[in-house]
Amino acid sequence: MTIGAVNVRLRNPLTLSEENQTRPLFEAAGGWLFRHRTSLPVPLVLALLVIPAGPVSPALGWLGAALVAGGEALRLWAVRHIGVISRTRSDRLGPLIETGPFALIRNPLYVGNLALWVGFALSARLLWLVPAAIVLLGLEYHAIVRWEESLLQSRRGDQYRAYASRVPRWIPRPGRGPALVSRPAEPFSWGDTVFSERGTLIAIAVGFLLLALKARS
């Protein structure tokens, strides 16, 4: 599954390597993780498909499916506002996106991803994998976000700092940003949104198919 994106939509003359030279090691690691974010969850995929289901209630499968649906709904909402830039592997930046879920939290795509992986762990009835996924992906996303924030502050300055002071990274503040939640700055059609998310949607469908085949074997 594809993982998150910087919440902006122009190339900057500085390269990633030039900018990373001036950043702390943790932020530089975040830049590396960002560029390789699609392949990093492979061990989680293998665990889901290979390790036998634990002796837990099959009802966890339905809970997991609901969590996957919720995570993908959040991703679709975010992509509706940010557009196809969510698939970038470069350091392209553009206007800061402050609408939709980006009015509530700064990293809705990563939150959606975490919900997807936890949902699949529950669907596979691998309860022990839930905290493992939260810790591993939490560390990965935190490093990536630190790199993204450093990049945004260096290029967007006070504009990004003002946004970051209003909107939390991960957990929404009650009553904040209601006017911006439903108003896209540059609306993308749902057709374009779904097309941009086709890779993730296909991966979800294939994932559930493989889990069903695993359960039958």
Side-chain angles (χ1 to χ4, degrees), residues 4-5 7 71 74-75 77-79 99-114 163 169-170:
N7 60 321
L74 178 58
R75 281 189 56 87
W77 187 22
V79 173
T99 57
F102 296 102
L104 300 176
I105 54 175
R106 302 202 300 267
N107 302 286
L109 286 164
Y110 295 130
V111 173
N113 288 339
L114 190 56
Y163 167 70
R169 279 192 187 104
W170 305 112

Side-chain angles (χ1 to χ4, degrees), residues 47-183:
L48 289 170
L49 298 179
V50 174
I51 298 176
V56 292
S57 171
L60 279 180
W62 294 106
L63 176 60
L67 197 54
V68 169
E72 181 54 25
L74 178 58
R75 281 189 56 87
L76 286 167
W77 187 22
V79 173
R80 168 82 169 87
H81 288 254
I82 196 174
V84 297
I85 196 67
S86 62
R87 299 294 176 182
T88 186
R89 293 290 182 278
S90 73
D91 60 343
R92 294 163 56 198
L93 296 182
L96 192 67
I97 306 303
E98 303 182 51
T99 57
F102 296 102
L104 300 176
I105 54 175
R106 302 202 300 267
N107 302 286
L109 286 164
Y110 295 130
V111 173
N113 288 339
L114 190 56
L116 289 178
W117 285 111
V118 171
F120 268 107
L122 291 175
S123 297
R125 290 191 281 164
L126 298 174
L127 201 55
W128 62 268
L129 191 57
V130 172
I134 291 173
V135 170
L136 291 174
L137 294 176
L139 289 172
E140 177 188 337
Y141 293 160
H142 184 66
I144 291 174
V145 164
R146 288 288 299 275
W147 171 77
E148 290 177 345
E149 289 178 349
S150 177
L151 190 69
L152 287 163
Q153 288 186 49
S154 68
R155 297 186 187 180
R156 293 291 173 262
D158 290 341
Q159 181 190 17
Y160 179 74
R161 281 187 284 271
Y163 167 70
S165 70
R166 295 192 307 271
V167 181
R169 279 192 187 104
W170 305 112
I171 302 174
R173 296 172 187 154
R176 295 295 183 93
L180 294 175
V181 169
S182 61
R183 179 176 58 82

Side-chain angles (χ1 to χ4, degrees), residues 1 3 16 28-42 88-89 140 144 147:
M1 300 172 188
I3 298 176
L16 289 175
W32 184 89
L33 290 168
F34 177 83
R35 294 190 299 275
H36 297 86
R37 65 190 188 275
T38 300
S39 58
L40 290 173
V42 169
T88 186
R89 293 290 182 278
E140 177 188 337
I144 291 174
W147 171 77

